[in-house]
Amino acid sequence: MRPAALDHGYGPTTKLIFALIRVLSERARQDAAKMTFYRPDFYGKLAKTFIQDAMRGTSAWSVGDHELIAAYISRVNESRFCVGAHSATTALANKDKERVMSALPDLDNAAIGRSLRQTLRMLGTLTRDGRVRTTGMHLLLGPAFRLSRFSRCSLWPSLSMSPSGFLILGSSIEIWR
Amino acid sequence: MAMTSETDGRDLRLALLEQILNGPGKATRNLRVCAFNNKDVPEPLRDLIGNIVARPPQITDADFGMAGSAGFDDDELVEMVICAAVGEANRQYEARVAALVAAAPEHGSG
């Protein structure tokens, strides 16, 4: 029983975008996209700019890393739509689908670098528990890693990006059926 | 001076919060704030907002049915869902920054 208002009120360009998403994602429902494009002055316009900055702005992380982080947090949030979308993007960016598929279910043995693994672990804990112990951050910032990689600016995208609440939003509306 | 992605993002985050909480909308400002904070949410909305924040996969038709039968229309519900989800995102963001600052004060609020 999701709000019927989300099924109406879109222009031709947006409808075309929905059609493309439907084809590319092989999913009939695209509630996260509808939420973003519905009455964009309330939420979508600013949210898209914010997410674009977080996911593609200046960062020590690669595009593939960003998308892997998003896919991993989506998995923690149990958002199937977002797991699929971000997994596909990181597989394309990294040209390595196995890397993505191995990291999501088995972080400890995934074929990823230690710093990315620790970051994913911290973000997963925070998403599940709503907080993270300082020791978790020490693992990230410890001497085993190059501190410059974890300057606050570098960490910003993983701090602010969509995985936390925006994917909660995605997973919420995904099940409005 | 060119802004870093961090300062861009910080400004964008604050602009988004300002818009959804205080900008034009169908739901009252008070309701949006309650949903954002998941606090003092009126009874008909409590299950819906609580599930969005803590258990999104467990949202049911009944959650929306209860809210709808209490007189909230689709636009109001959409706004409150957005406020609840962004509110949780914001709390997680603030928790991350607080943990980072506690672990490495040199990366504080500069």
Side-chain angles (χ1 to χ4, degrees):
Chain A
M1 187 192 281
R2 70 179 174 76
L6 290 173
D7 290 331
H8 308 289
Y10 306 102
T13 304
T14 302
K15 288 178 181 174
L16 179 61
I17 291 171
F18 288 166
L20 284 171
I21 294 173
R22 190 162 53 241
V23 170
L24 294 174
S25 68
E26 298 180 343
R27 289 183 65 87
R29 302 205 67 91
Q30 39 211 307
D31 296 325
K34 285 183 176 179
M35 196 68 142
T36 302
F37 284 97
Y38 181 71
R39 289 175 52 209
D41 284 342
F42 183 79
Y43 165 74
K45 196 178 292 181
L46 278 169
K48 281 189 290 185
T49 306
F50 174 80
I51 292 170
Q52 176 69 17
D53 178 77
M55 296 293 281
R56 296 292 184 271
T58 305
S59 171
W61 299 114
S62 69
V63 169
D65 291 339
H66 278 125
E67 295 290 343
L68 179 58
I69 291 169
Y72 182 76
I73 303 302
S74 299
R75 189 171 190 275
V76 176
N77 280 332
E78 301 179 54
S79 173
R80 290 172 298 160
F81 176 87
C82 297
V83 169
H86 290 293
S87 295
T89 310
T90 191
L92 280 173
N94 290 318
K95 296 181 172 58
D96 187 352
K97 189 175 180 180
E98 289 303 314
R99 178 173 182 254
V100 179
M101 301 316 291
S102 69
L104 295 185
D106 186 6
L107 189 57
D108 289 338
N109 296 304
I112 58 175
R114 187 177 180 188
S115 57
L116 181 55
R117 190 190 322 276
Q118 296 283 30
T119 299
L120 290 172
R121 188 171 289 131
M122 181 273 291
L123 292 171
T125 299
L126 181 62
T127 304
R128 270 188 301 270
D129 302 342
R131 59 192 172 88
V132 61
R133 293 157 62 105
T134 301
T135 50
M137 281 296 187
H138 277 300
L139 282 173
L140 279 175
L141 297 164
F145 310 115
R146 289 187 302 121
L147 192 59
S148 60
R149 184 172 174 80
F150 294 101
S151 70
R152 189 165 177 194
C153 182
S154 299
L155 196 54
W156 163 252
S158 65
L159 288 169
S160 63
M161 65 195 298
S162 56
S164 52
F166 291 110
L167 293 194
I168 288 176
L169 176 62
S171 60
S172 298
I173 58 181
E174 186 181 354
I175 59 169
W176 290 6
R177 298 167 195 271
Chain B
M1 183 178 69
M3 290 200 301
T4 66
S5 186
E6 179 191 4
T7 53
D8 283 340
R10 185 184 300 151
D11 291 345
L12 288 168
R13 181 175 65 91
L14 294 176
L16 178 61
L17 300 189
E18 174 64 21
Q19 160 53 37
I20 65 170
L21 294 177
N22 297 315
K26 301 287 178 61
T28 65
R29 181 182 181 280
N30 183 55
L31 274 176
R32 285 185 259 169
V33 170
C34 289
F36 183 89
N37 293 323
N38 189 24
K39 191 174 181 183
D40 300 326
V41 177
E43 177 61 34
L45 296 170
R46 201 164 293 163
D47 287 347
L48 174 64
I49 300 301
N51 280 337
I52 288 167
V53 168
R55 299 166 296 277
Q58 295 176 27
I59 295 172
T60 66
D61 285 354
D63 296 333
F64 282 100
M66 185 178 295
S69 63
F72 296 104
D73 67 21
D74 282 0
D75 280 322
E76 290 174 307
L77 291 179
V78 167
E79 290 176 8
M80 286 184 279
V81 167
I82 287 171
C83 288
V86 175
E88 174 63 13
N90 197 56
R91 284 187 288 277
Q92 290 192 10
Y93 165 74
E94 290 178 344
R96 291 171 196 175
V97 171
L100 177 61
V101 170
E106 66 273 23
H107 295 295
S109 59

